[in-house]
Structures are given as C-alpha cells and as structure tokens.
Amino acid sequence: MHIDPFILVAQIINFLVLVYLLKRFLYDKIVQTMNIRENGIAERMSEIERLRNEALSSVASCEARIHDIDERSDEMLNQARLAAEKEKARLMEQVREEVDRAQRRWLETLDREKAAFLEDLRKRAGTYVFETIRQVLADLADEELEKRIVQSFIHRLSSLEPQEMALLKKALDMPEPVIRVKSAFELDQRLRQPIEEVLQPLLGMEGEIVYELNGHTGAGIELMAQGYKLSWSIDDYLESLQEKFLQILKEEIGTPGVEKATV
Amino acid sequence: MEILRLNQISPDQVILWQWGFVKITATLAYTWLVMAILVLGSWLVTRRLSTGPRRSLWQGVLEVVVTSIRDQICEICHEDPGPYTAFVGSLFLFIGMSNFLIIFPGYVAPTSSLATTSALAICVFLAVPIYGISRQGIGPYVKEYFQPTFIFFPFHVMGEFTRTLALAIRLFGNIMSHDKIIGILLAVTPLFFPIVMHALGLLIGMVQAYIFSILAMVYIASAVQAHEEGEPANKGSR
C-alpha cells in the first residue's frame, strides 16, 4: 500500500491544527466553564452547608427554647396548681372558720335565746307560782289567819336579838315616840291588844301606837319607828323564796355548758 | 461489472486537484470536512457558554463528551487530565467523527487511508517522548530505554516502532475493510443487509476511535509514569 508523503505530512499538520483549534474552541472553554460552574456549585454548596448549619443551630436553639419554655410552663403550671390548691385550702379553711363562727354565733344566739326563753319562762312560771300562792293566801285569809299573823309578829317582836332590840329602843328613845303599825287587813281591838301589850313597855306612857291599813304589805304586819322597821309578812317569805329561786336560776343560766349539755 | 469504485479502494487515489507534488485528494478533503464540522460545531456551541445551572442541549452534549474524555484519561494516568485532553480528545473526536460520517452516502472516511492513520500514529509516536521528556527530563526518559539492561535498548526502540505501526494498521485495516465489505455487500445484496453492516460499521468505528485514543493515552501514560514506577516505558504496548 502506497503512502503519499505529502498526504502524510498534510494529515499530520491537519491533525495538529485540529488539536490546536479544538483546544482553543472546545476543551479550554468547556473545561473553564465547567470549572466556573463547579466553583459556583461548590460555593453554593458551602453556602447551603453554612445555611444548613445555621438552620440546624437555629432549630437546636429553638428546640432548646421550646424545651425550656415547656419546662417553665410545667413549672409555672405546677406552681399555679400548688398556689391554687393552697389558696383553695386557705379559702376552705376560711370558709370553715366562718361557718364555725357562724355556727358558734348561731349556737350562742340559740343558747342565749334559749336561756332568755328559759329565764323568761322560769320567771313567768315563778311569778305565776308566787302570784298564785299570794292569790291562794289572799283567798284563804280570814280571821284565823290574821290572828296567826299577829301572833307570828308578836313572837318575832318578842324574840328580837339583843342588838335588834337595842336598835328599836334607840329609835324610840325620844319624847313622845310614835310607832306605826301597818297591816294589810284591819286590826280590831282583839288583835291590837296583844300587840300593844308587847309595845307598850317599850313606848312608855308618852308613846303612841298608830295603826294604818296598807295594802302593799301583803299578808303581814309592819312596824315602823323613826327609821326602824320590823315586819313580818308572808310576802317576805315569798320574796325571799323568790330571790333564792332567781339566784338559783341565775346560777344555772350562768353556766351555759351545763345548759348546752342538757340540751 | 464494476464491484468497487476507485474511491472505495482508497480515498488517496481520488485526486481532486494537483499542482506538482501538491495535490488535494479525497482524504484531505474529507479530513477538512471533519475538521470543519468539529471546529465549527465547537465554535458555535462555545460562543455562548452558560456557567449557571441552565445550559443549552449542545453545551450539555459537549460537556458530557469532554468530561467523558477527561474521565477516561484520568482513569489511565491517575492524575490531572489537563495536559493530555487536547491531544487524546482530538484523536478520539477526529477518528470518531470520521467513522461516524460513513452513514452518509458518498462519504469515505479519511481513516480508511493508510496515510491518515499513519499520520495519527506518527503523532502518537512523537507525542510519547515529548510528554515523557517534558515530565521526566531527557536523561531519565532515555535511561528507560536501557532498562533493565542496555541489551533491551533495541527491543524498546523496536517496540516503539511496531506499536506505532500497529496503531496505524489496526485503524486502517478495520475501517478500510469495513468499507470494502459494505461495497461488496451493496453489489451482492443491495437491500437491507448493508444497513445492518452500516450499523455494525458505526459500532466498529466508535470502538476503533476509542481503542486508538485509549492506546495513545496508555503509551503516553507509560512514558510519563515509567520513571516514577520504575517500569519499562513500553509496558502498555500490545
């Protein structure tokens, strides 16, 4: 096979020219373009990586903050719950105390009302009893009773203590002494005589006995002489009894615990 | 009956213009055609290159081609393919385009000319010591021819020539024989079967372009790396 030297040389030159042209118009430009693009992609990737790292750090920061907020909210919730329970307990205690106070007040009021009612009832009962007794005594009063009363008065007068007698004598130690005898019923001569027999020695000759009718003395006789007073009356007994009754009533009312225990 | 036309025997025989020993043959004409297609196509595409993520279809095609060439070179030499891309890539593109255009009627591949393949092989033959000396220096490079002993010098030199000859003959023989087979088949069975053979011819053309450029790169790489690896410069010859 013949090889033309001119063709051979021409083809070598052609190829070298082709290498040059392709290097100029193809490889260098393409490689340069790809390098620029690769650099751009690398820069973008590094930027993306940087942004990704920033995003990850931001996410981590946000997650930490969310976690912190959750913890704080839980803590605040627990604190609020505890405070609410504490406040609830305090209010419950306050309400309980108020209820207790109201109950105590109510019980006290009830006790007072009960005591007042009982006192009033007992007073009324006592008053009614004594009025009844007085009424009975007044209804039963007759001459025999008046005589008995006069006898009791004389007995009392004659059995005065020495001190009492001294006080009476001192009251009568004056010129023309007057003894006033007050009674709830009319003293006739038959009843006056024993009285005068007892008083006359004390009065002497100048003395005078004045008899007065006084409805306030009840079933009894009262002696008054210049500031000295001596009386005997069923009312005195009744009043003494009533005073004792009231005293006992007062003592009983004064101990509400006893009352409460008996309620 | 004329089975083969003259231009089907060798495009060197088709002289389009001649003045003394200077003559324009079909080989040169088709070579320029291929060169024009490659250079003009590259120029048209690379006029407006986009460095952004959006790019034109043809820019993408060229980027794929160049990237593939660089990757192949990198797989062989395991270093920056930059200094070898233009030479090896031009070998592949020229041979590949020359062989690809055989699908057009009336076209004869320049690589079916022994002068063309010899010219390409001579370029490889010259490129190997140029790259080797530029990388290692002339002393170490020449020293490789005397490894392991000086007795091997003639064998190394002989290997250089024979592999260059093998490059030229392999490419020429494959392409020329395929052309001849197509011509014969067209004469014998004009329907269908030549189409299959054309498709096979395209495959063979691409494979030969790949083989030629890869072998060239292997030779260059062995010359460049021989000193570093301490191995004979012609280890890749076959």
Side-chain angles (χ1 to χ4, degrees), chain A residues 128-248:
Chain A
Y128 184 72
V129 166
F130 293 121
E131 283 179 357
T132 305
I133 290 170
R134 282 192 183 93
Q135 188 65 40
V136 167
L137 288 174
D139 290 346
L140 292 177
D142 56 359
E143 287 185 0
E144 190 62 26
L145 182 62
E146 290 170 357
K147 186 179 177 181
R148 287 281 184 178
I149 289 172
V150 171
Q151 285 176 353
S152 296
F153 178 70
I154 291 169
H155 175 70
R156 178 157 185 197
L157 191 63
S158 59
S159 61
L160 276 176
E161 295 288 331
Q163 294 172 350
E164 290 284 325
M165 184 59 72
L167 286 173
L168 180 58
K169 287 181 177 177
K170 187 180 178 181
L172 298 173
D173 188 14
M174 57 183 298
E176 295 180 358
V178 175
I179 292 178
R180 296 179 187 280
V181 176
K182 297 179 180 178
S183 63
F185 48 88
E186 188 69 30
L187 292 173
D188 55 7
Q189 193 56 38
R190 188 176 49 89
L191 293 175
R192 289 181 183 181
Q193 186 177 358
I195 296 173
E196 288 174 357
E197 287 176 358
V198 176
L199 292 177
Q200 200 62 48
L202 296 173
L203 286 171
M205 295 304 290
E206 296 176 353
E208 184 184 3
I209 297 173
V210 177
Y211 294 97
E212 294 179 359
L213 189 62
N214 188 0
H216 297 293
T217 55
I221 299 175
E222 187 179 71
L223 182 150
M224 297 189 71
Q226 303 299 323
Y228 182 82
K229 183 179 178 184
L230 179 67
S231 66
W232 185 95
S233 170
I234 293 174
D235 284 351
D236 290 340
Y237 289 101
L238 289 176
E239 283 175 4
S240 174
L241 184 63
Q242 192 171 2
E243 282 178 3
K244 286 183 179 176
F245 176 78
L246 292 174
Q247 182 67 30
I248 293 168

Side-chain angles (χ1 to χ4, degrees), chain A residues 43-103:
Chain A
E43 286 177 2
R44 282 200 295 274
M45 289 300 289
S46 64
E47 179 69 12
I48 288 168
E49 186 66 22
R50 189 182 65 78
L51 292 173
R52 181 174 170 274
N53 290 332
E54 286 182 1
L56 287 174
S57 64
S58 298
V59 167
S61 172
C62 288
E63 284 179 349
R65 289 176 60 187
I66 289 170
H67 185 65
D68 187 35
I69 288 170
D70 286 344
E71 284 185 347
R72 282 169 58 191
S73 70
D74 289 344
E75 187 180 350
M76 289 172 70
L77 198 62
N78 288 331
Q79 286 180 354
R81 193 177 287 118
L82 288 174
E85 288 178 356
K86 197 173 177 181
E87 182 67 14
K88 180 185 172 186
R90 190 185 67 78
L91 289 174
M92 287 295 289
E93 186 64 26
Q94 187 177 348
V95 168
R96 195 175 290 113
E97 286 177 358
E98 286 186 2
V99 168
D100 287 345
R101 272 201 300 275
Q103 188 180 14

Side-chain angles (χ1 to χ4, degrees), chain A residues 115-134 242 245-246 249 253:
Chain A
F117 174 72
L118 285 173
E119 186 182 1
D120 186 54
L121 181 64
R122 287 171 183 177
K123 280 181 179 176
R124 285 171 183 268
T127 306
Y128 184 72
V129 166
F130 293 121
E131 283 179 357
T132 305
I133 290 170
R134 282 192 183 93
Q242 192 171 2
F245 176 78
L246 292 174
L249 189 65
I253 292 170

Side-chain angles (χ1 to χ4, degrees), chain B:
Chain B
M1 182 179 71
E2 183 184 12
I3 295 176
L4 292 175
R5 291 194 300 275
L6 185 60
N7 59 1
Q8 289 175 327
I9 296 174
S10 171
D12 288 339
Q13 304 301 319
V14 181
I15 299 172
L16 303 177
W17 181 81
Q18 185 169 14
W19 182 66
F21 71 94
V22 177
K23 51 189 174 187
I24 306 298
T25 64
T27 303
L28 286 177
Y30 288 132
T31 298
W32 290 337
L33 175 66
V34 170
M35 287 172 63
I37 290 172
L38 288 175
V39 173
L40 283 176
S42 300
W43 176 73
L44 286 173
V45 173
T46 58
R47 274 187 313 171
R48 290 187 296 270
L49 287 175
S50 166
T51 57
R54 301 182 67 84
R55 56 197 167 185
S56 65
L57 173 66
W58 287 107
Q59 180 182 347
V61 170
L62 288 190
E63 285 184 5
V64 168
V65 170
V66 173
T67 304
S68 301
I69 291 170
R70 288 168 64 87
D71 288 345
Q72 289 293 325
I73 294 171
C74 195
E75 281 185 11
I76 295 169
C77 68
H78 303 294
E79 61 179 271
D80 178 29
Y84 318 111
T85 304
F87 182 75
V88 178
S90 298
L91 278 176
F92 175 76
L93 290 179
F94 177 72
I95 298 170
M97 182 59 71
S98 297
N99 297 342
F100 172 76
L101 292 178
I102 63 170
I103 59 173
F104 295 104
Y107 171 82
V108 178
T111 46
S112 61
S113 158
L114 186 59
T116 304
T117 59
S118 298
L120 296 177
I122 288 170
C123 288
V124 174
F125 176 78
L126 295 175
V128 168
I130 289 172
Y131 279 115
I133 290 169
S134 66
R135 170 62 66 89
Q136 304 181 39
I138 190 166
Y141 179 76
V142 174
K143 191 179 174 184
E144 292 295 329
Y145 284 89
F146 297 94
Q147 297 295 333
T149 64
F150 69 92
I151 300 173
F152 280 81
F153 175 73
F155 298 105
H156 284 307
V157 174
M158 194 181 302
E160 292 289 333
F161 281 106
T162 54
R163 75 186 187 188
T164 303
L165 183 63
L167 272 179
I169 297 298
R170 182 188 300 110
L171 180 61
F172 165 71
N174 276 285
I175 304 304
M176 184 272 291
S177 64
H178 181 260
D179 276 356
K180 303 304 165 286
I181 289 171
I182 293 294
I184 292 168
L185 284 175
L186 279 173
V188 176
T189 55
L191 296 177
F192 302 116
F193 197 65
I195 297 174
V196 178
M197 291 308 293
H198 260 301
L200 183 63
L202 276 177
L203 177 65
I204 290 173
M206 290 301 118
V207 169
Q208 287 305 317
Y210 178 76
I211 288 173
F212 196 100
S213 53
I214 287 296
L215 283 179
M217 188 59 226
V218 167
Y219 299 153
I220 292 170
S222 61
V224 168
Q225 297 170 353
H227 182 259
E228 298 169 3
E229 299 176 358
E231 291 180 9
N234 58 350
K235 67 171 186 175
S237 63
R238 64 190 209 186

